[in-house]
Amino acid sequence: MTAKTPSMLARAMTWVVVALTAILLALGISWYGWSTEVHNRFWSDIFGRIGGPMTFRFFLQPTMALLAALPDGIRDARQGHSAFFWTNSGDVTQQRGRLRQGLVSTARVVLLGISMDVIYQHRVFEKFYPVEALMMAVLLAVIPYFVFRWIVERIAGWWLARRRAGI
């Protein structure tokens, strides 16, 4: 197995996350719809999670995203890739490959985030809001992953350039 080909487990986990995302979105919309009341509850619940039980996940999930972003950012720097979001817009194959790589890398962190939010919702709300669980996973895992990957790629690129120059 090379760095470019993810394991069978990683690919399966990625597909589970993609399917789970679609299911959670469909369930959330079908159960609660989308109205002003739902919108207001959604944002008040999201910001209400900052305090209270299980606040450690606000540190755990971004830390897990950093650990997932480290090898990918270093690999980007070694291969001379541009930052993840600035991939050549003309080369669709490169965009798909980079997106697939990001999905594979974040799959475990997303599953962790969704499961932690399900536990939180069960303890605090005694209800399940699927879209909120998905949104928290995106806010605490996926977005930090891409930010950390960019930062790691920049730092590793700088370090590798200094090393090649003999400084």
Side-chain angles (χ1 to χ4, degrees), residues 26-111:
L27 283 176
I29 291 169
S30 68
W31 287 352
Y32 301 106
W34 193 256
S35 64
T36 305
E37 177 187 325
V38 170
H39 185 265
N40 291 337
R41 188 211 70 239
F42 175 83
W43 287 108
S44 68
D45 287 351
I46 293 292
F47 288 112
R49 285 171 165 80
I50 294 172
M54 298 181 65
T55 55
F56 70 93
R57 67 199 171 118
F58 285 92
F59 302 103
L60 178 66
Q61 287 176 253
T63 302
M64 296 297 291
L66 173 63
L67 293 175
L70 277 170
D72 293 338
I74 292 170
R75 185 173 46 250
D76 287 348
R78 283 187 180 145
Q79 294 174 353
H81 288 161
S82 59
F84 191 80
F85 280 116
W86 303 114
T87 300
N88 184 0
S89 59
D91 188 359
V92 178
T93 58
Q94 189 178 8
Q95 289 176 344
R96 284 188 191 144
R98 303 289 298 281
L99 180 61
R100 186 176 299 122
Q101 192 180 67
L103 286 171
V104 168
S105 296
T106 59
R108 275 181 266 145
V109 183
V110 169
L111 285 176

Side-chain angles (χ1 to χ4, degrees), residues 13-31 103 110-111 114 128-135 137-138:
M13 196 177 315
T14 302
W15 282 108
V16 166
V17 167
V18 169
L20 186 61
T21 298
I23 290 168
L24 288 176
L25 284 173
L27 283 176
I29 291 169
S30 68
W31 287 352
L103 286 171
V110 169
L111 285 176
I114 290 172
F128 178 55
Y129 301 110
V131 176
E132 288 182 22
L134 187 61
M135 185 67 167
V138 168

